[in-house]
């Protein structure tokens, strides 16, 4: 069963950082995100995560907060998740989809009378 995945940034936390006497406003220190999987029948499962960051504002790869896009931040998150614990994330999404496809039901006790 093929699953299509989408990533979404739901929030970010920032902090002003001072490096060598220079203060950089709104440096991202935490991201909150969701990864959703959808099977070919439209059943979905979702995993919510949080990923911290400790970027150096003086780095050549630093991007000011106002210039960030969701695509950039998703790339940062994927850089941490993919290859480390994405398998776990995908397994949890699959479990949620499986539960929707074949839910556990409580039929009651066969010997109980109504």
């Amino acid at each position: 069963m093929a699953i299509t995945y989408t990533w979404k940034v739901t929030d970010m936390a920032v902090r002003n950082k001072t490096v060598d006497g220079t203060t950089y406003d709104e440096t991202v220190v935490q991201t909150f995100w969701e990864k959703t999987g959808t099977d070919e029948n439209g059943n979905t499962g979702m995993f919510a995560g949080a990923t911290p960051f400790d970027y150096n504002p003086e780095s050549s790869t630093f991007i000011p907060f106002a210039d960030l896009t969701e695509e950039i931040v998703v790339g940062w998150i994927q850089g941490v998740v993919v290859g480390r614990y994405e398998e776990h994330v995908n397994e949890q999404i699959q479990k949620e989809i499986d539960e929707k496809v074949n839910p556990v039901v409580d039929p009651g006790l066969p010997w109980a009378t109504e």
Side-chain angles (χ1 to χ4, degrees):
M1 191 178 288
I3 297 179
T4 302
Y5 295 103
T6 57
W7 296 75
K8 176 182 175 183
V9 178
T10 58
D11 206 358
M12 295 189 297
V14 299
R15 173 177 291 139
N16 294 342
K17 280 188 151 186
T18 302
V19 178
D20 296 331
T22 302
T23 299
Y24 299 87
D25 295 334
E26 299 179 317
T27 301
V28 175
V29 294
Q30 181 78 32
T31 59
F32 302 90
W33 52 272
E34 295 173 354
K35 184 176 181 184
T36 301
T38 305
D39 72 12
E40 63 269 7
N41 297 316
N43 299 301
T44 63
M46 190 268 297
F47 183 93
T51 302
F53 290 97
D54 187 26
Y55 284 120
N56 178 354
E58 293 189 322
S59 162
S60 63
T61 61
F62 180 78
I63 301 169
F65 185 80
D67 296 336
L68 292 174
T69 64
E70 185 171 27
E71 182 179 6
I72 290 169
V73 178
V74 164
W76 293 349
I77 294 164
Q78 288 174 334
V80 172
V81 175
V82 175
R84 293 187 187 171
Y85 61 95
E86 185 178 30
E87 184 176 329
H88 168 74
V89 170
N90 293 347
E91 287 172 357
Q92 297 309 306
I93 291 169
Q94 183 66 60
K95 283 181 185 178
E96 192 171 320
I97 291 171
D98 292 346
E99 180 62 29
K100 289 177 180 177
V101 171
N102 188 20
V104 173
V105 295
D106 180 5
L109 303 172
W111 57 86
T113 59
E114 292 185 31

